[in-house]
């Protein structure tokens, strides 16, 4: 069954009806994961690839849900028939992470213990919790071992955690535009975003659904700021420069420059569809991720358990997860004599480059995936 | 009269009782400027130095207002007896810009046409408007020609505009950690800051004083975000790293990391003392500044009128006003055969480095100022 950009795909909700213990000690009585699959699991179940999403991603990786959908899935350029992650060869699974807002159990779900929405009561989950929940999904699907776990940004952190925590279950890990831990500046930006949401009067301590509202302003500001950090300075400059919307300055606070219009649009769109509590917990998962921390800050010790072959990629203009952060990981892997392929892609698309169509990058992923035996 | 960090200085309010036409066509019927002076104007009035402030600066450059003031003026390490801008040699003037919130006429002042606070009705002023108002101040003080006009960041833009607009009135211009115009990314960050303020429910269309409130949340977010951009990534890393406040993660949205505590403190402090309408108009003055624009985007043409000797300084880790932006100015000045001295200082303090005690930087300013004849 060929998977193209126009193939209609249907998500499935998988229920896990047993208690799930989180890293913070909290126990979820049950949970659902919304998933989407592409291609066919082979008889030996050796061709399964897990796609882990970043902050605002979902299970909808490729194809379309409806014939009239304006856009295909978020990584449709990477996943499909004949694409770098080839669904004619691999059985590819996308999922919405636990705590998300696209169908998996999260703050918008009903808390079985109270009957009301979780809202702010949904626990803060970690990258390790996600990996554990994804391992339960693998068990459910009868997948003992992933041919590959793949992710960009926060998704790359999950791929790395998988390789560390389940060395026998991951044959290849693709860690793209990611980092073994956030920098101080990353954490600082995340905290400003959270403060924008937490101090929005419509936040109501995270129980905004009970008040039939949502903290749109805060989400909007968080996304506008985040968006700047996803783009490269010179990419933004090339795209918008100092181009004015009108012929002259307004001398007020309406839109003067095109870049303002673009950012406000991005912020509005995000505030319309994303859940604020999910945004908060996703940024905390980012902040907390630090596999070296439990090994005396030795990243080498943290990765020593991994058995996967690694593909690490970074992008020259990515200042959110700079190439130097990927290099830290690569150095630790080499020091531990792991099999690692590293590519640094010249790009002016900043952090967002990992989602873009860029030939050297696409070709590098393609070559790596081609060499995987199933 | 020696000026030290503990010298008690007293600001003065200078009234200008005549209409002042702004670049946007608006006419202010009158205005006040709050100023502070250090040292003595010599008989030939040839030793006057104007200090132009940046976004959140004031007239209070050096010394203290009260014996129990915790801090001296904002550039006390640069201005005083025996300091690089030596008040034993120079008569130094600091002022609060028009539209400011530290005593000069601005949004918090009474609008003589209505009797109420200006608030949102205070017009958006430009760097050129500031320079024109400072020229009126020079006239008032009988200063035909500045020995030097000095500024960092937005203050540097004023020094440059002075040299362009009043070539016969500026003998030396010190343009520090500045830029001939903002980048797209700079404008984008400014717009996010403005949107945080404009969408704060306490903003009330800019007439918050009438509602006995102020948009503290928006100001706080704007400042937190701005603060990150003033600091270098590796400076922030050196100072805070991933240091936790407690022994373990909170798994909630309280302060986990020390950098969060620091940023929130900076945001709170700023929201307490700064005026939101002033913040808005200051960022617009930054966005609009672009002397090349009226010369077909030729910076060389824009600076061709200048007669001043220039001192341009940038800081290696300043990503808000990167060294490349100062270099653009230096290249244009050289192309126009102007006298220009450029120094790029190695620093991990980011944009804020221009306010810091850094020997190579301080020495460079000192040497330049020593060579000025009065």
């Amino acid at each position: 069954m060929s998977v193209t950009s126009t193939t209609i795909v249907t998500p499935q909700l998988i229920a896990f009806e047993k208690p799930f213990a989180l890293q913070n000690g909290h126990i979820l009585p049950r949970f659902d994961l919304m998933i989407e699959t592409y291609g066919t699991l082979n008889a030996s179940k050796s061709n399964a690839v897990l796609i882990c999403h970043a902050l605002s991603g979902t299970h909808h990786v490729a194809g379309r849900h409806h014939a009239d959908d304006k856009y295909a899935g978020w990584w449709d350029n990477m996943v499909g028939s004949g694409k770098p992650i080839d669904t004619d060869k691999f059985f590819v699974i996308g999922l919405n992470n636990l705590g998300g807002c696209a169908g998996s159990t999260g703050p918008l779900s009903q808390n079985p213990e109270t009957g009301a929405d979780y809202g702010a009561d949904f626990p803060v989950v970690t990258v390790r919790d996600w990996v554990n929940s994804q391992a339960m999904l693998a068990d459910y699907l009868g997948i003992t071992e992933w041919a590959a776990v793949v992710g960009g940004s926060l998704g790359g952190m999950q791929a790395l955690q998988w390789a560390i925590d389940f060395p026998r279950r991951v044959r290849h890990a693709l860690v793209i535009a990611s980092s073994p831990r956030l920098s101080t500046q990353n954490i600082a930006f995340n905290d400003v975003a959270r403060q924008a949401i937490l101090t929005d009067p419509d936040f109501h301590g995270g129980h905004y659904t009970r008040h039939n509202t949502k903290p749109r302003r805060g989400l909007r500001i968080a996304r506008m700021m985040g968006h700047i950090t996803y783009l490269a300075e010179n990419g933004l400059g090339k795209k918008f420069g100092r181009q004015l919307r009108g012929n002259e300055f307004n001398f007020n606070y309406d839109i003067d420059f095109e870049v303002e219009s673009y950012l406000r649009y991005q912020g509005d769109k995000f505030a319309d569809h994303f859940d604020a509590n999910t945004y908060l917990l996703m940024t905390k998962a980012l902040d907390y991720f630090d596999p070296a921390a439990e090994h005396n800050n030795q990243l080498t010790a943290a990765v020593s358990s991994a058995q996967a072959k690694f593909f690490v990629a970074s992008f020259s203009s990515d200042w959110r997860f700079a190439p130097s952060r990927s290099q830290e990981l690569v150095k630790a892997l080499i020091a531990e004599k792991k099999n690692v392929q590293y590519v640094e892609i010249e790009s002016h698309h900043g952090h967002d480059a990992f989602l873009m169509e860029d030939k050297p990058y696409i070709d590098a992923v393609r070559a790596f995936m081609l060499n995987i035996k199933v």
Side-chain angles (χ1 to χ4, degrees), chain A residues 80-275:
Chain A
S81 292
K83 293 180 181 171
I85 301 173
D86 191 343
T87 53
D88 296 342
K89 173 181 181 182
F90 296 108
F91 175 63
V92 179
I93 300 169
L95 85 158
N96 184 220
N97 276 357
L98 190 63
C101 54
S104 292
T105 296
L108 294 176
S109 308
Q110 197 189 60
N111 181 346
E113 286 163 344
T114 66
D117 287 353
Y118 272 108
D121 298 332
F122 195 85
V124 170
V125 292
T126 63
V127 169
R128 174 165 278 161
D129 292 329
W130 285 332
V131 167
N132 286 334
S133 67
Q134 290 159 1
M136 289 169 71
L137 174 64
D139 294 342
Y140 171 87
L141 297 168
I143 296 164
T144 315
E145 186 184 79
W146 297 105
V149 179
V150 190
S153 190
L154 179 54
M157 292 174 169
Q158 294 163 62
L160 176 58
Q161 190 79 58
W162 256 107
I164 291 171
D165 285 357
F166 295 100
R168 290 163 189 276
R169 302 192 73 170
V170 186
R171 289 197 289 130
H172 301 84
L174 290 84
V175 180
I176 301 170
S178 193
S179 168
R181 62 185 190 182
L182 290 197
S183 71
T184 316
Q185 188 190 65
N186 291 151
I187 294 171
F189 274 124
N190 279 346
D191 197 51
V192 180
R194 283 190 294 264
Q195 289 295 309
I197 292 168
L198 293 164
T199 63
D200 185 326
D202 286 330
F203 183 67
H204 296 291
H207 291 297
Y208 39 87
T209 55
R210 295 181 196 166
H211 294 77
N212 295 313
T213 184
K214 66 186 289 189
R216 286 192 90 264
R217 300 178 203 86
L219 259 176
R220 181 172 174 271
I221 294 299
R223 183 59 164 191
M224 289 177 73
M225 182 182 68
H227 204 79
I228 300 174
T229 72
Y230 304 148
L231 304 177
E233 152 77 270
N234 80 354
L236 207 56
K238 271 179 211 264
K239 191 164 179 180
F240 299 106
R242 291 177 56 93
Q243 200 186 322
L244 292 178
R245 160 157 281 204
N247 291 320
E248 37 191 44
F249 294 144
N250 294 319
F251 290 103
N252 61 34
Y253 306 116
D254 295 340
I255 290 169
D256 275 306
F257 295 93
E258 284 294 352
V259 68
E260 298 172 308
S261 164
Y262 170 76
L263 271 189
R264 294 185 201 181
Y265 172 77
Q266 295 293 338
D268 286 336
K269 204 171 63 168
F270 190 74
D272 283 342
H273 86 265
F274 210 78
D275 178 60

